[in-house]
Amino acid sequence: MPISLHNSLTRRTEPFVPLDPNRVTMYLCGPTVYNYVHIGNARGPVVFDVLAKLLRRHYPNVVYARNITDVDDKINAAALEQGVGIEAITGKFTDAYREDMARLGIAPPDVEPCATAHIGPIIAMIERLIADGHAYAAEGHVLFDVGSFPAYGRLSGRDTEELIAGARVEVAPYKKSPGDFVLWKPSTPELPGWDSPWGRGRPGWHIECSAMAEKHLGETIDIHAGGNDLLFPHHENEIAQSTCAHGGKTFARQWLHNGMLTFDGRKMSKSLGNVLQLHEMLKHHPAEALRLRLLSGHYRQPLDWSDAAIAQSVSTLDGWYRVLRDLADVPVDSAPLPVPEAIEAALCDDLNTPQALAELAVLADAARVQGTPEAKAALLGGGALLGLLQQDPEAWFKRVDGSAVDAARVEALIEQRQAARAARDFARADAIRAELATMGVAIEDGPQGTRWSVAKA
Ligand SMILES: [Zn+2]
């Protein structure tokens, strides 16, 4: 089944044809590790995790790189403010990022390069750009000469005039043209810096992605992905740097951009006070429900985020896990799980996750009605490609979500209730049920005994 993907560069949906089917390469711009990321920053990693899983089904060798930006003015500011070295900040938030991504069921990328470990390749690329007349040094800075690259603005659809007129372009005396952007900048003694042909300094943000993509994936990569907030200037600048450093070779053959999150219909922003940290949300909501919600809209569209939407995702997963729990005794040969065609077809169609989730709901219904090993395997296999439904159904229902349910205490109370019922002490049994309810635990008596679940997230 061929994969087609929407290419932001051509603004068309195109068949995906890798340069080398034996080594498919994908790069996703990762976080700047100066704080916990917000929930919107998780959308790209979740969506492109599904794409990586899909590509791995089609190609024997996929190399997926997601970088860590560990040198940046925001990191320097955080380190200064807290009176610590930048490593204390970047180490802490890199660990938190990896941990939070893992909880969302995101497989680690094949390569996770960080900028500070690539200063050599960054300097080498800047030297090449200078030698070829695409960059110039001025007052300790090195700038990319936007005028030297006629295709500048093709990805974002902005022309140079528009760019220069844009208020966001920093005007500085050392720039030949206001649109020129920084490849290297000088560091004062208290700031992190590395020796370079232009003095002690540090790289600009854009150059690190170009240098790390080259080092780990090659001069031309198959897919470059990121949020559409990075389209300009970050990705535009990556294209300019990489294309010019590689004698005009195509940098990324396909550009994928995910839409942003809105919160109850509004943009998420610090000034509105509605920034939701993923790390914090994971304390209060099941990670899998967050993942499901992030996949519930088409990746190119904006996605609205609300408490009601999370509750809806929890209830959807309740339904699906209930089917799997009821089929707990139905044996399934787990390796490898079959991937139902309808799920695969939806994902091959420009990663249509809402369609894939609709198909998963159909499979859940079929499994509930049929109760066969095949139907259960199809549900699990479809879920696996989306990174859903892979935990023990009992674990799903007995999760704690920060509400700190003491499972041992619950089990003990259920046993006491059984004993009370056996002794026909129904008042005592009802009192125990009420006590469980105040703990947020719901119980259900059935042919397989008493089951319990955490009633609310
Ligand atoms: Zn990048």
Side-chain angles (χ1 to χ4, degrees):
M1 202 177 294
I3 299 174
S4 55
L5 297 170
H6 185 270
N7 188 349
S8 309
L9 191 62
T10 59
R11 294 157 179 82
R12 280 197 307 261
T13 302
E14 300 168 349
F16 174 68
V17 184
L19 195 60
D20 175 3
N22 292 313
R23 190 173 188 266
V24 174
T25 52
M26 174 158 92
Y27 188 95
L28 173 66
C29 294
T32 300
V33 283
Y34 68 102
N35 199 344
Y36 296 112
V37 298
H38 67 70
I39 182 72
N41 297 128
R43 190 180 193 191
V46 165
V47 162
F48 299 116
D49 176 58
V50 173
L51 178 58
K53 285 180 166 65
L54 181 71
L55 290 170
R56 290 186 208 283
R57 272 183 55 73
H58 288 243
Y59 301 98
N61 179 22
V62 174
V63 189
Y64 174 26
R66 189 185 69 206
N67 72 296
I68 299 277
T69 297
D70 62 349
V71 56
D72 180 90
D73 289 346
K74 291 193 209 88
I75 297 171
N76 298 339
L80 224 53
E81 195 187 298
Q82 295 172 40
V84 294
I86 61 165
E87 295 78 14
I89 302 286
T90 58
K92 174 182 171 183
F93 292 111
T94 300
D95 288 349
Y97 185 75
R98 288 183 182 141
E99 198 179 296
D100 292 345
M101 292 296 111
R103 290 196 57 199
L104 286 176
I106 297 167
D110 303 291
V111 198
E112 196 179 38
C114 60
T116 56
H118 293 78
I119 301 296
I122 289 171
I123 290 175
M125 186 177 264
I126 296 174
E127 286 184 308
R128 247 180 295 153
L129 289 169
I130 294 176
D132 292 346
H134 293 292
Y136 56 94
E139 296 180 31
H141 292 74
V142 181
L143 292 127
F144 186 90
D145 182 352
V146 166
S148 77
F149 182 55
Y152 193 78
R154 209 181 124 205
L155 176 69
S156 57
R158 298 179 191 218
D159 60 30
T160 316
E161 293 299 310
E162 209 179 328
L163 184 92
I164 290 166
R168 288 175 62 195
V169 172
E170 190 198 348
V171 180
Y174 48 81
K175 285 187 180 181
K176 276 192 201 165
S177 159
D180 294 351
F181 58 88
V182 167
L183 301 176
W184 188 265
K185 54 187 159 188
S187 289
T188 50
E190 74 277 10
L191 288 175
W194 291 262
D195 290 331
S196 81
W198 319 286
R200 185 176 172 276
R202 58 197 196 279
W205 171 36
H206 315 299
I207 192 72
E208 70 177 73
C209 286
S210 283
M212 294 191 290
E214 176 197 71
K215 167 131 200 251
H216 296 281
L217 304 180
E219 295 187 343
T220 296
I221 65 179
D222 290 310
I223 295 172
H224 194 310
N228 64 15
D229 56 335
L230 297 186
L231 205 140
F232 183 85
H234 185 54
H235 291 164
E236 197 74 77
N237 293 354
E238 279 189 45
I239 292 176
Q241 297 159 160
S242 295
T243 309
C244 293
H246 301 142
K249 273 190 204 160
T250 297
F251 171 40
R253 304 175 77 234
Q254 233 152 348
W255 282 87
L256 268 61
H257 287 97
N258 64 272
M260 297 293 102
L261 252 58
T262 55
F263 185 72
D264 284 328
R266 296 197 299 175
K267 193 172 182 283
M268 202 179 294
S269 80
K270 274 193 187 128
S271 57
L272 289 173
N274 62 359
V275 175
L276 297 175
Q277 280 181 352
L278 169 64
H279 194 72
E280 195 56 32
M281 296 196 77
L282 284 167
K283 293 179 187 164
H284 306 289
H285 304 284
E288 196 172 343
L290 302 184
R291 182 181 176 100
L292 173 60
R293 179 60 192 157
L294 289 168
L295 292 173
S296 66
H298 192 275
Y299 77 92
R300 289 200 281 125
Q301 302 302 319
L303 178 71
D304 195 44
W305 195 264
S306 64
D307 286 345
I310 303 172
Q312 178 61 53
S313 296
V314 171
S315 132
T316 300
L317 287 167
D318 277 345
W320 294 344
Y321 273 118
R322 201 168 291 128
V323 173
L324 290 171
R325 187 172 66 175
D326 288 342
L327 299 180
D329 296 334
V330 175
V332 157
D333 187 1
S334 62
L337 286 164
V339 172
E341 210 176 297
I343 302 259
E344 174 132 23
L347 294 179
C348 285
D349 176 16
D350 192 27
L351 222 55
N352 191 340
T353 54
Q355 180 62 32
L357 291 171
E359 300 294 349
L360 199 62
V362 171
L363 293 169
D365 280 344
R368 184 172 45 78
V369 173
Q370 296 163 13
T372 60
E374 293 72 23
K376 180 181 172 183
L379 176 59
L380 287 171
L385 194 51
L386 290 157
L388 298 170
L389 301 182
Q390 302 306 297
Q391 55 177 308
D392 177 357
E394 291 298 332
W396 166 261
F397 286 108
K398 291 174 184 174
R399 69 189 184 271
V400 290
D401 299 348
S403 49
V405 168
D406 178 347
R409 167 119 185 94
V410 172
E411 302 283 355
L413 283 169
I414 287 174
E415 249 175 62
Q416 288 171 29
R417 179 172 166 269
Q418 300 294 77
R421 274 155 54 105
R424 304 190 68 76
D425 182 354
F426 297 113
R428 171 83 185 123
D430 285 347
I432 293 172
R433 179 191 276 269
E435 186 178 346
L436 286 164
T438 61
M439 292 167 69
V441 171
I443 56 174
E444 200 183 314
D445 295 311
Q448 289 145 308
T450 302
R451 286 162 162 182
W452 66 274
S453 56
V454 177
K456 58 178 168 48

